[in-house]
Amino acid sequence: MQLSSTDHRLSVLHVAQPVDGGVARVVTDLVRSQLSAGMRVDVACPDGGCLPDAVRGLGSGTHRWAATRSPGPGLPGEVRRLARIVDALRPDIVHAHSAKAGLAARLALRGKVPTVFQPHAWSFEAVGGATARLALRWERFGARWATHVICVSEAERLTGQRSGVDARWSVIPNGVDVERFRPVAAQAARTALGLSGQAPVVVCVGRLCRQKGQDVLLRAWAAVTERMPLARLVLVGDGPDGAGLREQAPASVRFAGDVEDATPWYQAADLVVLPSRWEGMALVPLEAMACARPVLVTDVDGARESLPPELVPHGLVPAQDPQALARALVALLGDPSLRESLGRAAHRHVSNTHDVRHTADAVAAVYRELLGVGPIKCRESINP
């Protein structure tokens, strides 16, 4: 990624909360790309999670921003602390990731600095009742303080637009590092992870929380093992619902916990499943498809857009429907030749459509438009 000749070194401050999961991976990839472009890049985020160490290791400035994951009584202090960081750094652009960072950044800046807001799924979809109504009112109001809103799927943009969020939009699909996530023989991956080479293996990667729907998957899994008693399910990740999920899981379910790199688990899988209740565009299916593994996902925002046409009839089920999920799991696990064909199509699709370098170029184009600077073109791999 290369900046045109200019007297000014473009400076970006990324503000992130949460600091793990897909948001952390998106921010890390953007930071890597922008540093390679010669930008000055800083990240403000809470301690903990994988994000601070990851971006610090790339050479980004990191700034401790104490902030909880959800809004609460500490919000005014969080806004003041973020305003002080912005005043000290004086960035050209502030890029806020996810609902909480977007809330604090827009309140702190109120349009005084060009502000890009990237929801990574809308806050009002994550809650219900009065809390959802309050979140929606804020997103409608707060849009005035976002110079630009980046959605990761057209479905996410339409959800915001139909809900009355009036913004200047861009849709930039999520991308993954296709050199890091790549196909290898499943048998070798299974041996390294201590998995049986014979039993069908389904892998679900994600934070153990309501959004990701592992509770629905466990309800479906009982029906799967009635038909396929040798099948094994691996849940990769941890989170607030971990203890409850472990209590209800049968012996055929393995909890792998948090892992630094989920790539070996994708490569070991016959099938990767993500039964989310809501998303913007999930990274897990893209990472799995880059490893040439078929995926089964729920029909939430971004899901259809992330799949190749060949996979849609087989890889998409309604959200929160354990019976439909079980039927689709059994059908795919019972047809190895179909899985192999779908895996090849998935790999081609991600390589052509969801390479993270395309994502970095598109974000750079948004910055360029907002600031009126010269061309910014990605020319280097963003691998470390």
Side-chain angles (χ1 to χ4, degrees), residues 20-382:
D20 50 15
V23 172
R25 297 201 294 279
V26 168
V27 175
T28 300
D29 283 342
L30 284 175
V31 167
R32 183 183 292 117
S33 180
Q34 290 163 3
L35 287 170
S36 77
M39 299 184 195
R40 193 191 85 202
V41 184
D42 292 273
V43 176
C45 65
D47 290 336
C50 61
L51 181 60
D53 288 342
V55 296
R56 189 180 297 115
L58 295 172
S60 168
T62 55
H63 307 271
R64 182 179 181 271
W65 173 51
T68 59
R69 194 175 179 112
S70 301
L75 179 62
E78 295 167 355
V79 171
R80 288 193 297 271
R81 288 190 289 273
L82 184 57
R84 287 195 291 269
I85 293 172
V86 174
D87 287 344
L89 295 174
R90 302 179 65 84
D92 295 311
I93 283 183
V94 173
H95 190 154
H97 298 266
S98 207
K100 180 58 182 293
L103 169 63
R106 285 177 286 175
L107 286 174
L109 299 175
R110 304 191 182 210
K112 296 174 184 176
V113 177
T115 304
V116 174
F117 172 47
Q118 191 164 350
H120 300 279
W122 292 105
S123 58
F124 49 82
E125 291 196 301
V127 290
T131 305
R133 291 191 293 272
L134 182 61
L136 177 56
R137 285 177 60 191
W138 156 251
E139 292 297 355
R140 289 170 175 167
F141 180 84
R144 71 193 63 196
W145 292 327
T147 319
H148 208 94
V149 175
I150 293 177
C151 292
V152 295
S153 66
E154 180 64 16
E156 184 183 49
R157 184 193 69 80
L158 287 172
T159 294
Q161 190 175 54
R162 290 168 180 163
S163 300
V165 180
D166 184 14
R168 186 181 180 189
W169 310 91
S170 287
V171 175
I172 302 177
N174 274 335
V176 297
D177 185 345
V178 297
E179 296 180 24
R180 172 186 171 193
F181 298 101
R182 62 187 187 276
V184 302
Q187 185 59 56
R190 291 187 185 195
T191 300
L193 293 169
L195 295 171
S196 166
Q198 303 302 318
V201 176
V202 176
V203 171
C204 176
V205 177
R207 190 167 184 258
L208 303 184
C209 62
R210 183 175 181 275
Q211 178 193 358
K212 299 301 180 180
Q214 291 95 345
D215 59 319
V216 180
L217 176 57
L218 288 183
R219 292 201 296 274
W221 192 248
V224 173
T225 52
E226 284 181 7
R227 297 281 302 277
M228 297 180 162
L230 296 180
R232 295 294 178 263
L233 171 63
V234 181
L235 300 184
V236 180
D238 210 340
D241 292 353
L245 292 170
R246 287 179 174 88
E247 287 180 2
Q248 63 177 294
S252 59
V253 178
R254 171 175 172 177
F255 287 82
D258 274 329
V259 297
E260 186 173 339
D261 182 8
T263 309
W265 291 102
Y266 296 134
Q267 294 167 337
D270 291 300
L271 176 65
V272 174
V273 61
L274 189 66
S276 302
R277 286 179 165 88
W278 69 88
E279 294 284 355
M281 176 181 282
L283 286 177
V284 164
L286 299 177
E287 293 168 351
M289 289 191 292
C291 295
R293 296 301 182 260
V295 298
L296 179 59
V297 297
T298 45
D299 194 2
V300 295
D301 280 0
R304 287 179 181 269
E305 295 170 59
S306 69
L307 299 180
E310 301 95 321
L311 196 48
V312 170
H314 309 279
L316 206 62
V317 295
Q320 301 191 76
D321 187 337
Q323 290 78 27
L325 183 59
R327 288 193 298 270
L329 283 165
V330 168
L332 284 167
L333 289 176
D335 195 336
S337 61
L338 176 61
R339 291 200 311 271
E340 184 176 354
S341 172
L342 294 176
R344 289 194 300 267
H347 180 254
R348 289 194 302 270
H349 173 71
V350 171
S351 298
N352 293 334
T353 311
H354 292 283
D355 188 323
V356 74
R357 290 169 291 190
H358 305 326
T359 303
D361 273 346
V363 172
V366 169
Y367 293 174
R368 181 179 69 236
E369 181 181 354
L370 295 185
L371 298 177
V373 299
I376 304 174
K377 177 66 176 176
C378 183
R379 298 189 184 280
E380 300 179 7
S381 168
I382 68 163

Side-chain angles (χ1 to χ4, degrees), residues 8-29:
H8 179 70
R9 186 185 181 199
L10 186 65
S11 60
V12 182
L13 172 64
H14 292 277
V15 184
Q17 169 58 300
V19 290
D20 50 15
V23 172
R25 297 201 294 279
V26 168
V27 175
T28 300
D29 283 342

